[in-house]
Structures are given as structure tokens and as C-alpha cells.
Amino acid sequence: MRPTLSLIRREFAAYFLSPIAYLVIAVFLAVMGHRFYLTMEQLTASGPRGVSYPMQFMVSDLLFWLVFMFIPPLLTMRLFAEERSSGTLEMLLTAPLRDWQIVFAKFVACFGFYILMWLPTLLYLPVLLDWQWGTTQCGIDPWPVATTYLGLALAGAMFLALGILVSSLVTSQLLAALLAFFVGLLFIVPGNWRPEVDTHSVLDQVLFYIAVPTHFKQNFGRGLIDARQLALYGSVAILSLFLTVRSLESRRWR
Amino acid sequence: MAVNKGSNAAHMLLRLFGLTGLFVVAAGGLVWYAFHGIDHVEMMFRPEEIVQCAAYAVAGGLGAFAFALLFELPGFFGMMSSRRGAVGGSVFVQIVMALVLVGGINAFALSHFTRFDMTWDHAFTLKPELREQLANLRGDTDIVVVQRNLASGLAGGGMPDRYDIAAPKKIIEKVKDLAEQFSDFGQRFRVQVFDIQDDDFDKKVKALGAAEKKATADKNKATNRKDPEESPLADAIESSTENSIFFKANGTVQRLAFHDVYQTDKVASALAQNGQGNLVLNFQGTEPFARKILNIEEKKPRLALAVVHPALSMTSPEHEMLTMNGAKKYLEKQGFLCKDILLRKQDGDGGLSQEAAAVTFDENRFEQIEESLPSLEEHIAEGDKTYAVAKAQLEAWKTQTLAELDKTYAYLKLPNGQEGVATRKTLAELDHRKIPYKTIPVDEDDRKNEVLLYSRDSAVLERALQEYRKERDTLVKERATLNVDELAEKRRIADVEAKIKRMLADTDLLVVPRFTIFHLPSGQMIPNKVHKIDDAQLRAIKAFLKEGKPVLFLLGPTNEKRDAPPDFGGGGDDDGLEPMLAELGFRLPKQTILYNVEVKEFNERKRSIGFSERKTDVPPPLVDWDVGAGQVNKKRDAGTGANSIRVSLDLLAKSIGDKLMKDLQIRHARPVYVEADATSPGNFDEAAVFLMVGPDTWNESSPFLNEKREPPRYTPTKEGDKAKGSLDEVRRGPFPIAVAVEKTLPKSWFEENEKPATARIGVVGNGGVFVGPTLSPIKEKMLLDVCNWLLGRDDLLAKRQDTWSFPRVNLTEPEKKLWQWGTLPGLPLAFLYLGLFVWFVRRLR
């Protein structure tokens, strides 16, 4: 277990050694800050304007998903591709670690950084929840906020796992990022592009099933947890990590 | 596919071939998807040809791919049989199994899922008892949300305000959410959303209609029946004019308007957040929605309107000032079945007779036609004869020689100077009466004149005959369309009471209107005696009430001018209807409510003698008033609790705003009270009231221009007058003008061993409130609310339940600025700073 923890620590620390990570966080927070500003405007508006679910409003915008799509590839592109291109992967594979431990450690470190990236957005909560400091109570239902963060964590895990898988298959970081971006598109595009299909057809159900932005608009953003989304995010993440392990393993017998 | 480093160019070409095959499959599939099911397209090829080509391309592509794969198989098996290959093969199998497992999990999850509603108020969860009821439902239910993007059916005219614009979007979203909750029950509830703004809206409705017809055809085939292939749901969607939700199960369609589920409270919206405003919606709960599903096969309520003349009926679209056709049209759209009961016989010429009757509109018309047809036939027969004579004479004058004509005619000159052509028969008569005359033979000038004369007479007669025949044919045709199945049987019953009871047997709600005053300043009115019903008819109404069935009385003021208008029929004295209501505790003083603003119109009338052009706008009645309003005796508690109809109308008033409420203007109403307590003559039961007129009114006993053409003036009851302190006291408003209450009927109406029944009774102090070929939206809603309440369908009335509004956060301007600048650009800059810091530190190292 200790080597795994060491590897997690090493991988996690590596993010902070590069100014790129800070730049990514800064850009991400700039976008989130803008969304927060718009949400705050709606929450303090006069007349018949407003938002029903502040967190839903924040994360259901196309701009948010455009930025979100770049984050997992940027965080995962270097994980294996860099090791492979610099030749350190062989060293890592000879370390007293099993392949799954390597994949697990890299995933945990990457996921940790992803969660860390979201942590500053907790500063928005007093406004998003209409937190009353005097009574220590919320004026706005906190559950939609909680479910949105849960959804973001799970969806993030899925996209990161996909990114790790792609990174394990190629040598170039840029190619890894591009491929991860396009794989991610499969789950994002149906949320913003819906062909004219019968609202009750199987195709419509499948499109909804994989459309991550729609999941946030319809469910997580409004305080709902849908078992379908848990199944999708969980199964795809586990499958991707499993395939990553197999991908690493293949170097031994190819 | 195993990588073979030693593959030659041919092998590479084969791989390219297989890849191209895959590409062709994808392209062919796309073309097939785009063109299949399309009937016609402006292209060189027909769609079916394109689809066929696409299918060939897919088949060819698959063939090419399979062919290429065939050449890969030896290499694949070789690799699998090697040591390294065996490991790879095992991994391959693991991967395939993992993919199948993940695919299976997701395929299962697609149709078997649960949603956990974590919200505070469980906004997306149906109540457990409702879920249980829905779970027990048999058969499939279609729920179609039709979005027409109008504010609501009550949008009416006028400029929409910002709430009218903002509310529909939110309401549509909320209704969709509500409908979606039912889809969680699985395939039994098929929820669809049709938006008029979608390009394929019409296509979707047509497809739905076709599917409905096909379902009926399939069912007919399976059960060997011949049910008509109809598309009730698609038809209902096509004819809907507002945002609606349709429910269909077992061939029955029910509709719910969006505003039955959510209503905008404009007053609360404007006042929210210390006057800053918000959007406040009144949510009627899931009950109206669920009720439509659970009671989808509910029997249509039957309403009967008892009037004396067809012009006052619901069926006749003529007589704009009298008909209640608009009410019928609206109620039928809301699922009611309406019929008229005509209480007085009509003469053949359409006038009212004194004879009491009990016929439907059709039966009355049938009898009228039956009465008119014989005289019409007589006219035609007589006309035929006259026409034949005129035609024969014309023919004679045209064709006979002068010598022949001379045998029949002569030119006659009488001593008094009269002259002209006469027949020999006339001359013989003159001879007989010994009247002297001179004759000369007829000549060509006479022929010319007579031909002209007879031609003109024949033409006139022919035209008249044509008109008679046309009228007869129209009447015969109309007679054939009338529903008079029960007339023959009714004719055998002499007892009017029995006839009415028979007609009321299948009626759920009876409406008795008495439209009396149209326009006071000009004195246009229908005298009270016209509306008079006889005792047998009154007994039938009583019997209807005794069954516990509801009655709505629309009774206009009974004040009459001394110079009463001409007799339209009816007896002299009042009938027993109002005494019966008095027995039930309703007080209807012989007063008319006048608005202060009406005095101006009276004054103009006084000066102008003729017609006044002024159209006086009176304020709409009130649905929101303070407790004790209108009570004469302010000291006593007049009952608490708000009338359900009043609550519903109040919510509606707050939803549609003042402009549309103005359409509810009611002029010339009378006060209507439900006595609160016999010991307190100055009090009425406020909980029974659902409409009041405002304080700028008074109750006038003589609401006409007097003999000196002076307008009525407000003269309060003086101290010492016996009316002082009672409800009859002449005073300023408010006055209740509409009440609805559930009453236990008097014991005296029943046998000793019978338990007195209770019945819902509504009384509105104006007979013309629902008159017109169309009703304003607010009047439509009021009529519907009143009918629904009287029928015990209280759950269809809007209630004060949960309200929804946008969540708000109170931040001062400095706080807002801090949040704004702190989060953007504050936070991102902080991380940029950290990044630079790390970079510098690393550089320094």
C-alpha cells in the first residue's frame, strides 16, 4: 500500500510543480466566476426574473461545458504519454507495484487534483444557498447544490478515467489530449444537439442516457439523483481503468 | 486484428478494401436514415430508389469488410496459438467480457432506473397515496403536453405585462416536470411533449392520429368488431387553442389547461421582495392532474337550462342580446353536455303562448315546423292554382286570333268612366245586375296590354311560389335533423310536471336564468311575467333539489316601470320561484344596484330623449374584500371561511390582472343574501358570497327615470323607517350579488320519515351575466368554476395552496460588489499568482 501512496503523492505533487496547473485552475475559476456572477445577478434580480436552481443555472450553460471538456484531457494527457515519451514508463513498470496500483495511483492523484480544482467554488455557497449567518440556516434548498457537486465528481471521474485510458495508448501528450477531448465529445454533444426524434423513442432515450449536460440540467442540478447516471459514470470509469491496466499489461507480452 | 509486419502490398490493399467497406456501410447507413419514410422529394431520384441504393451500399460495404476479415483470420488464429498470442487472446476475451458486462449494465439501467428526489419539499415526487392509486391503474395512458406558447386561455386582448411574458415559460417547464413524474411509472404512462414551435409539430400530430386509427383497426381485427377508426387525441390536440395537457386512456380524452395547474399571482408577484417583484405562481398541486388520469372515463356532466323562449336558450345562435350560446360553446369544450328545456309553448308565428310546456329546443322547433308546414302547403296549393289560371290566360292572349278572343273577352266601358278588358262572364253578370255598359271588340292593343299584364302576374306568382317551396323544403330538411326521439312519448304525457321530471332525470345541474333588465337608462327589459313558470314546473324544480341535485339561479332585478312594456305573455302575478328561494334562506330584495357613474348616463338620457351614445364602464365586481364588508349590522360576526368559488376567482383575478377583470362588469344586478341568522336581520352569511359590487354603488328600489324624467338619486333609508338596520336598508355598497351555498332543504319539503336532503344552490343577481354569442375569458372561467363547484367537483377549482417563486438572496450593493470582484477576477488571479510564485521558486532553485 505504501508504494501506492507514494506514487499518489508523487503524481499529486507533480501537478503543483508546473505553472500550467495553476493556469488551468485560473481559467476554470474565471469561467466559473463569470457563471457565478450571472447566477448572483439572477438571485438578486427584481421583477419576474430569476433562477429556480442556482447550481443548475451555473453548470447547464454551453460555455461551462466547453471549458469542462478541456479539463480532463489537460489533466490526464501527461499521465502515461509523458512517461512513455520520456522513457520513465519502463522504470515505473519495474517498480514493486502492480499495474493496477500504478493506474489506481495515477487516477486518484488526478481525481484529487480535479476535486481540488472545484474546492474554491465552495466559496460561492453562501450566496448560492442564501446562507444566513445569524441563524446558520439556508434560505435556498442545499440539496441541489450537493447533488450537483456529486454529479460533477462522478462525471469528472468518468472523463478522467477515459483520459487516462487514452493517455496509456499513445506516446504524444498532444495526441492524448486531442483523443480524450473527442472521446469526451461523445458524452457532451448529445446534451446540446438533439436530432428531431420522437420524444419517447429508444434513440431519444439513448441520447439522453449519454448526454452529460442534460443529466445536470434535468437531474443533478435540481436535486435529483438518477440511477442511470450513476450506472453510466461508474461503469464507464471502471471499464476505462480496467482497459488502462490491460493496456499497460500489453507492453509485457507484445 | 493482429499486426503483420511482413504483410505485402496486396495484404495492405485488402485491408484498405475492408476499411473502405466499413466507410461505405457508414455512408450508406446515413443516406438510408435520411431518406427512409420520405414520400416525396424534389430530386433526380425518387426517395425509395435512394433508400434502395443505400441498402445495397450497406450490404456491399459489409461484404467487402467480411471479405477483408477473412484474410485476417489465419494471422489471428496463428497469433492466438502462439505463447504470446495466448496471453493476448486471454486479455482479448477479458476485454470483450468487460465490454459486454458494461454494455449489459447500461442497457439494463436504461429501462430500469430510480430517481432519488433529494429536494427539501420533494418537488419531483408524487404523494405515496397517489402513487398507489396510479400503480393500481390498468391499461396504458397517453399524456401529451401541448405547448402553444400563449400566456393562457385567459390571455385575452390588451398589452401583456412583464409577468404575462415571464410566467408561461416557467409554467411550461413546471408542467413538463409534473408530466415527467408520471413517466417514472414506466411504459404504462407515455409522456410526450408537442411544441408548436417545432418544425415537425404537424407531422407529430398526424403520426399520432395515424397511430390511433391503426390501433383501433388492429383491435377491430383482433376482436372482430367494427368500431369507427377515429383519432380523438390528435383531433383534440389540433383543436386546442391554449397550452394544454391531454390524457387518453381507453379511447377517452380529457384535457387540462396549464392554468388549471399553475396560475400567476400578479399581485403577490408585484409586492414580493419589498416591492422589487418576483414571479409568484400558485401551484394547484398534483390533484387536478392526477384526477384527470384516475377519472379519465368520468361521465360527462349534463347541464340543463330552463328558459321560457328559444331566443333565451343555449342552442339558438341568433339574438345576440339574449342567447346563452357562448356559455354552451365553452361548457361543451370543457366536457359538459348541455340542453335546453323550454318552459312555454310557442305560437306558430314564434310568439309566446300562455301554455306551460316542457320540451327541448329541438322538440319546440319541431312543433313549430309542424305547425307552420300545413299553412305553407296551403299557400303553395292556392298559388299553384292562381298561377295555372294566369298562365292559361297569358297563353290565350298570346296564341288565339282576335275573333277567338272576342268570344271570351270584350272591351268594356262603364258609365262611371271605368274601362278595360273583361270576360263575357263578367258582362253576363253586369246584365244580370242590370248595369248599363258599352262594349267594343278587343284589338291588338288590348292583346299587347293583356300579355304584358299576365306576364307580370305570372312572374310574381312564380317567384312567390318558389319562395314558399324553398321555405317548405328548408323546414322539412331542418325537421329531419331535429332530435325528437322522445317527443311522441312526451305528447302522450299530459302532465307538465311529469314531463319536466323526465327531462331532468338525467340532468346533473339545472340552470334557471331570468334575464330582466338589459339597459336601465333606456328602459330596455323583459317583464317579470314573461319568465313566470307555473306551479307544476316549480314542483319539478323542487323535486330536482330534493334529489340533492344542484341548481344555479340567475335572477335579474324584478323592478319594473309603471308604464310597463307591452304584454309578451305570461300571467299577472309573480310565480313561486322567489318564495321558494326565501324558504331556503335566500333573500332577494326588489332592488337594483346602481353605480354612481351610471347617473351621468341617466342625465344624458334625460336630456336627449332619443338614444344615448355613452357606454358607461362600471367597475368589475370584487372577489377580495375585508371581513364584514357589506354587512348592515357590523357588530355581529357574519361567519368566516371563504367561499371556494371566490377563492378560485380571487386567484384568477390576481393572475390575469385588472384589464381582464374589467370584462366581468355586471350592470343592473340585484343584491343576493343568504340569511346568516334569523335573529339578526342586518347580517348575511359572508362565506356564501363569491361576488360583491364595490362601495361606489347603492341599492335602488326605483331604478328608472321617473315621470318627470329625473334620474334615480341615492336617498338613504331614514331613521325610524322599518327597513333601517335590515338588509333592505337603502345604503352604499358593497353588496353581495352572487352566492353559492350547500343547504339542507326544509323539513316541510319531505315526508315525516324522510331525511331532508342537502343540495348545492347558486344564486347570481343578474340574469344576463352569461348571455352572449361568446363569453369573455373571465366570465367563461367564472361559469366553469360555479358549475364545477355546484357539481361537487371542488378539486377543479383553484385553491390557495403552495406558492412558488424564484429564490432570492438579499445582498447590499457593497456586498454584491465584493462577491463579484472577489470571485471574478479575485479567485483566478490568486491562483495565477500562486502559479507564478511556484514558477519563480523553481527557477531560483
Side-chain angles (χ1 to χ4, degrees), chain B residues 103 204-205 331 383 388 449 458 460 466 515 532 542 606-607 621 657 776:
Chain B
K204 273 182 174 175
V205 177
L331 287 174
N449 286 338
S458 304
V460 169
Q466 264 174 4
F515 192 12
K532 192 188 164 192
K542 238 178 184 177
K606 173 189 165 186
R607 286 192 295 270
S776 64

Side-chain angles (χ1 to χ4, degrees), chain A residues 50-62:
Chain A
V51 285
S52 308
Y53 300 97
M55 238 3 219
Q56 181 206 38
F57 184 74
M58 277 187 75
V59 302
S60 60
D61 182 67
L62 184 65

